[in-house]
Structure formats: C-alpha cells, structure tokens
Amino acid sequence: MSYSPIHTQMNAVVRLDPAGQKDTVAMSGPRNSILDTVGQTPIVRINNIGPKHVTLYAKLEAFNPLGSVKDRFALAAIETAEANGTLKPGQTVIEATSGNTGIGLAMVCAAKGYPLVVTMAENFSVERRKLMRFLGARVILTPAAEKGSGMIAKAEELAEKHGWFLARQFENEANADMHSRTTAQEILNDFIEIGLDYWVSGFGTGGTLKGVSRVLRAESPNTKIVVTEPDNVPILSSGIAQERDDEGRPSVSHPMFRPHLMQGWSPDFIPKLAQDALDADVIDAYQPIAGSDALQASRDLAQKEGIFCGISGGATFAAALKLAETAPEGSRILAMIPDTGERYMTTPLFEDIAETMSDEEMEISRSTPRYRFDISGGTAIDAPEEEAKPHATAFVEKVLAEQPVVMFALEWCEFCWSVRKMFAEAGIPYHSVDLDSVALQDNNLGGDIRVVLRNLTGAPTIPQIFVAGKHIGGATETFDAFNDRSIHDRLTEAGVAFDADMQRDAYSFLPTWLHPR
Ligand code: PMP
C-alpha cells in the first residue's frame, strides 16, 4: 500500500512532506496555516436518539475548516501533485465536483496561490456555488440532465484545452490514501480502548470508503463495514457491473442510477475508488435509506443532539439507526457525517423551516406589549421635537439646490442599499449624503442633518430621497414612485438622463426578508 499508517496524536495534524511524501506531524500551538487544521475531527457519542442496547457515535467532518470531509482530499490532491511534480507553481487547478470538493479545493488553492476552476451540475445547491466564488474560484455550471458524468467530461475537456491540473477525485489514489492516513487512524485511536463493531458510510467518490475500510479490515478486523445507498439507487448493492471503456473509465450511466436527494453521494456510475472497495471484498453489509428518513435523521440530530449536518450525514445516521435495531446488545456503531447543514438552506432539508413567525411564535410575541408587528407604533421611539441647527439647515439647502437627485442615507442600511441598487440598474445618477459616514461625524453634522430632515419631511426614517429639491419620500415611496413612473416625470423635468425603459418591480430590489409583497 502506498500510504503509511501512523497514529496521530491529540492536537496534531497530518501533512505530506512536499519532498518525500512522508507524513509529518505538526505539534500543537499556533498552526502554520489553515491547511494545518484539516482532519482530526471529533467523534461524538449520541445520547438522545436510538435504542438503548447499543451506543451510536458520529464522526463530524464538518469540523474541517471548510466544513466537509472533502477538505481532506483537497489538501491531499494538491500536496501529492506538488510532491510528484504534476502540479506546477501557479498552474490552474480544475475539478468536477458536487460542491464540497470544490469548496475544499478553493480553500487549499487560496492558501497556496493556485487559480481554481470548478465544473458543477446546475442542480447542486446555490450556496455551494456562492461559497466557491467567495473563496475566489470560478464555477462553470453544466446541465443537470447530463448528471455527474457531464460535469466530469466538461472538466476533462477544459483541462486538456488549457493545460490545467485536473484533480480527478473519483480515481485519484491520493483521495483514498489520505483517508487511510488520517480518517482511519483517527477512528482507530478513538476506539482503541473500547472497540468498534460497525462503521457506516455512504460513498460519493468512494475515497472515504476505500481509504478507511482497508485500514479497519487490517487493523480492526472485528469492525463490520456497512455501506449505505439511497434506496432508489442501489448501485453497489445491485451487483450489476459498471460498463467501462478500454481504460477502465465508466462509459455509460449505471442502469440502477436515478436522481436522488443525497447531494455528494452515489453518482450515476461506480467510481474507480468505490470499485476498488467492492473488489477488495471488505463490505460486510448494505443499508438502503429513503430520502425522507435521511431528512428526518438530519433534523433529529439537530434538534435532539445539537449536531448540525447535511443530507448525506442524515442518511448515514438513518442507516446507523436501522442497523442498531438488530445489532447485538452492547454494539458500538459509528456513522460518518460528511458535512454541515448550512450548505442546504435552499434544498428540501430546509423545506419545512419557515421564515415567518408561526402561531406559537406570534403568541410569544404578543405576550409582552412592545416591539410587535400587530400593533402600530410598537417600535417607534418617541423623540421630542428638536430645533434644527443653522449649519445643518444650510448644508441641506445647499445640497438640494446643487444636486438634481439626492439620497440622505446610511452606509449599510438595507433600505438604502436597495434604493442604490434600483438607481444603479435604471442608470439614475444620484448624490448620496451618508449620515453615518466618517466625513459627517465632525460636530455630529450627520445627526444634525437628521433633525433637519425630520422637520422638513415629517419622517423619522432614512433614506429620504429628493429630486430637483422636491421630496419624493423614503424607500417605499421611492419604489412606489418608480413603479407608477411618477419619478420618471420628475427626473425628465429635472433634465436627468436615465434608462426609462427599465421595467423591474422596484420592490424586487429589497432583500427577501424586507420584501413586503
Ligand atoms: N457526502 C457529501 C455531502 C459529499 O460531498 C461527499 C463527497 N462527494 C460524500 C458524502 C462522499 O465522500 P467520498 O467522496 O469520500 O465518498
């Protein structure tokens, strides 16, 4: 075997030595970079779910720096390629990924200075795209209809055309090796005293499955290896072989593949690494899991244990629970939990989680008198009338006389931000007086201008918008004036050039939580 097992220590991290591919163990203390925080994820006992005759545990891969098991592969892929010279300094890295691998690679590439391009099928959650782009990667979407195979083919095409380094997570031995060197050792260490009876995992690339199962089989032969799959996609458990081309690569979708809920799991083919685990004959049992059970298990982990995980984690835990029903008294069962739930806000996992207050929450709100939505004035602050100061009045008069479109605003207020976005989209030039900006803090000029505005408009709120010296109103009145086009007439009269054909509903510029419609 090409990996060399080592027993990691508490607070130690395992990295590849760029020269010799040897394992190095950095000791505790300040880490040299974010990369030294990959791995060493905790295994946590489950206390409030499942039958009492067994003990369930969860290995929480969300503790990796970018929140998933794939941080391990991302680090291993890059450092292995650096060590063997297939990745040159500054070379662009490319990979096909359902998200977590791309997010992990984006972290590693940012820390090490490699540009990253990711190909991803459009049906994976929007959060993932945004995360990768936030980390500096470029994300190329591929049609959902072409499934996992489509995004891989696109990555290969781009890598060949541009000479980019393709990380090949589905067949890269560095993927499984990293799990043998780190994940498997962490599991052995944690159960060395008490023993582990079952290890439960799904598979995406099969990196976790191959890398962990071969070490457990060799070093903890009594641990049963249980693989879980979506119940409508029994690809491995069907026993139906994957059709492959002359080079051993999957040539068509596996006949048992169907679309399923567990993002990151069970692609439409048997990856090489998963095939290796099959061929090594280390899988003791299969546990199919229904999508609805996966979602329920994820919610139960959150609400009964405080463990926040994604859909595949829920599915793996649901499989562990099924197994627990028939496992002998005293069994210890460990479920791999691949990632965090924050990545699934726009997926069925959060479908039933409301944005607005439920009847019960409204009842709690109504149980005290103030700060409520159901009575007006509940939140208003009764400020006494204040007299405007002459220098502030002069400031406001001057700016209204000189500038055709004026917005009195706050730098980071959402309503102001929405009006700014609308003005920008309609090409309306405006002068913004940011009352909270550093420039207006001398002698509290910003605060004094607010008093002038309040007396002038009768409105205590910000923003307040003026065209040709005439008051339009706050954000809502400005949106209304845009939608009924009365602001268009005012702008034209004032000689302001803008895009009068912009048709979008002005309210759509508000963030959804402020959207009144
Ligand atoms: N769950 C999620 C959410 C994933 O992103 C992945 C990786 N694609 C897995 C599980 C499976 O891990 P592996 O690739 O090691 O089989």
Side-chain angles (χ1 to χ4, degrees):
M1 268 177 247
S2 58
Y3 70 91
S4 49
I6 55 145
H7 289 268
T8 53
Q9 301 162 25
M10 282 291 282
N11 297 324
V13 288
V14 179
R15 301 284 305 283
L16 287 184
D17 172 345
Q21 281 233 61
K22 281 203 210 103
D23 299 323
T24 55
V25 180
M27 295 310 295
S28 61
R31 310 290 166 97
N32 290 329
S33 85
I34 192 69
L35 304 180
D36 283 350
T37 70
V38 173
Q40 288 294 345
T41 58
I43 290 174
V44 173
R45 195 182 67 210
I46 302 301
N47 297 303
N48 308 314
I49 311 174
K52 290 282 166 261
H53 73 282
V54 301
T55 313
L56 290 158
Y57 299 88
K59 186 159 176 64
L60 305 182
E61 290 298 303
F63 277 72
N64 281 299
L66 261 293
S68 94
V69 65
K70 301 308 296 204
D71 290 355
R72 297 180 192 261
F73 164 67
L75 181 58
I78 298 301
E79 295 206 330
T80 304
E82 282 175 334
N84 65 26
T86 45
L87 176 61
K88 306 281 181 296
Q91 189 180 357
T92 294
V93 174
I94 181 164
E95 182 60 328
T97 155
S98 63
N100 281 333
T101 297
I103 293 165
L105 277 171
M107 177 255 309
V108 177
C109 288
K112 285 177 174 277
Y114 297 101
L116 174 67
V117 176
V118 158
T119 61
M120 188 169 92
E122 61 182 336
N123 51 315
F124 297 117
S125 77
V126 170
E127 293 91 313
R128 296 167 185 233
R129 290 179 212 174
K130 289 207 168 192
L131 269 168
M132 285 186 266
R133 290 181 174 138
F134 192 89
L135 285 155
R138 280 154 294 164
V139 181
I140 312 302
L141 299 176
T142 58
E146 306 296 337
K147 298 170 272 193
S149 308
M151 67 188 190
I152 294 173
K154 185 72 184 172
E156 285 172 349
E157 197 176 270
L158 287 168
E160 193 175 336
K161 166 95 198 266
H162 301 289
W164 292 340
F165 170 75
L166 182 58
R168 293 189 192 280
Q169 58 169 334
F170 293 97
E171 55 213 53
N172 190 337
E173 290 302 330
N175 183 351
D177 289 352
M178 181 67 160
H179 284 291
S180 295
R181 200 169 58 241
T182 64
T183 321
Q185 306 304 322
E186 293 160 24
I187 295 169
L188 288 176
N189 275 354
D190 276 7
F191 288 97
I192 202 157
E193 310 259 305
I194 55 178
L196 178 63
D197 301 293
Y198 298 91
W199 177 73
V200 188
S201 176
F203 77 97
T205 61
T208 310
L209 177 60
K210 175 178 176 181
V212 173
S213 64
R214 65 183 166 188
V215 172
L216 291 184
R217 180 55 83 234
E219 308 215 4
S220 179
N222 292 332
T223 304
K224 296 220 162 35
I225 290 156
V226 181
V227 173
T228 161
E229 297 183 292
D231 63 352
N232 60 335
V233 193
I235 286 185
L236 290 193
S237 53
S238 68
I240 301 173
Q242 171 69 49
E243 277 186 43
R244 295 178 188 276
D245 63 18
D246 295 345
E247 289 160 26
R249 294 169 45 204
S251 49
V252 291
S253 285
H254 192 280
M256 298 311 284
F257 180 77
R258 303 283 177 278
H260 63 82
L261 251 188
M262 289 77 145
Q263 297 191 18
W265 262 20
S266 305
D268 63 308
F269 56 92
I270 301 181
K272 172 173 185 303
L273 297 174
Q275 185 71 52
D276 290 345
L278 259 186
D279 295 346
D281 212 14
V282 290
I283 300 169
D284 294 297
Y286 292 97
Q287 179 62 62
I289 282 299
S292 53
D293 289 345
L295 298 178
Q296 189 56 48
S298 179
R299 280 193 285 264
D300 284 347
L301 279 172
Q303 294 173 13
K304 297 181 181 160
E305 300 286 337
I307 292 174
F308 189 34
C309 74
I311 305 173
S312 69
T316 317
F317 189 70
L321 277 174
K322 280 249 153 57
L323 190 66
E325 286 169 13
T326 53
E329 179 86 29
S331 296
R332 293 196 171 82
I333 304 172
L334 171 62
M336 288 299 293
I337 308 293
D339 70 353
T340 161
E342 267 169 57
R343 240 145 251 191
Y344 300 89
M345 300 266 187
T346 60
T347 73
L349 186 58
F350 275 74
E351 175 108 325
D352 298 333
I353 306 298
E355 265 176 49
T356 51
M357 282 197 275
S358 65
D359 290 348
E360 189 196 0
E361 288 163 338
M362 283 301 277
E363 196 59 42
I364 296 172
S365 170
R366 280 195 289 267
S367 68
T368 59
R370 298 208 297 155
Y371 307 106
R372 289 159 51 170
F373 291 97
D374 57 336
I375 45 169
S376 63
T379 57
I381 303 157
D382 295 325
E385 274 281 308
E386 271 186 73
E387 202 153 314
K389 296 197 175 138
H391 75 293
T393 307
F395 182 102
V396 171
E397 282 171 358
K398 184 165 186 291
V399 81
L400 290 181
E402 287 175 358
Q403 302 287 343
V405 184
V406 180
M407 172 160 75
F408 293 93
L410 297 168
E411 281 181 329
W412 294 111
C413 129
E414 282 88 349
F415 286 99
C416 305
W417 188 28
S418 306
V419 176
R420 287 186 214 280
K421 282 197 283 185
M422 186 188 80
F423 280 174
E425 183 124 341
I428 299 172
Y430 66 99
H431 180 81
S432 180
V433 180
D434 295 334
L435 303 176
D436 57 345
S437 66
V438 173
L440 295 191
Q441 296 318 298
D442 261 2
N443 288 324
N444 192 28
L445 179 57
D448 292 342
I449 293 173
R450 244 182 128 142
V451 175
V452 176
L453 289 172
R454 190 175 171 159
N455 294 349
L456 188 66
T457 66
T461 54
I462 298 295
Q464 293 300 326
I465 288 93
F466 293 76
V467 174
K470 291 206 193 84
H471 184 219
I472 303 289
T476 308
E477 290 84 12
T478 305
F479 291 149
D480 289 340
F482 190 88
N483 284 347
D484 70 17
R485 299 183 70 84
S486 56
I487 202 171
H488 295 58
D489 299 339
R490 299 261 199 122
L491 289 165
T492 310
E493 271 168 37
V496 176
F498 68 105
D499 175 11
D501 296 332
M502 202 274 279
Q503 291 295 348
R504 200 169 140 182
D505 173 9
Y507 283 94
S508 69
F509 290 98
L510 283 170
T512 44
W513 65 273
L514 286 173
H515 212 296
R517 292 177 176 187

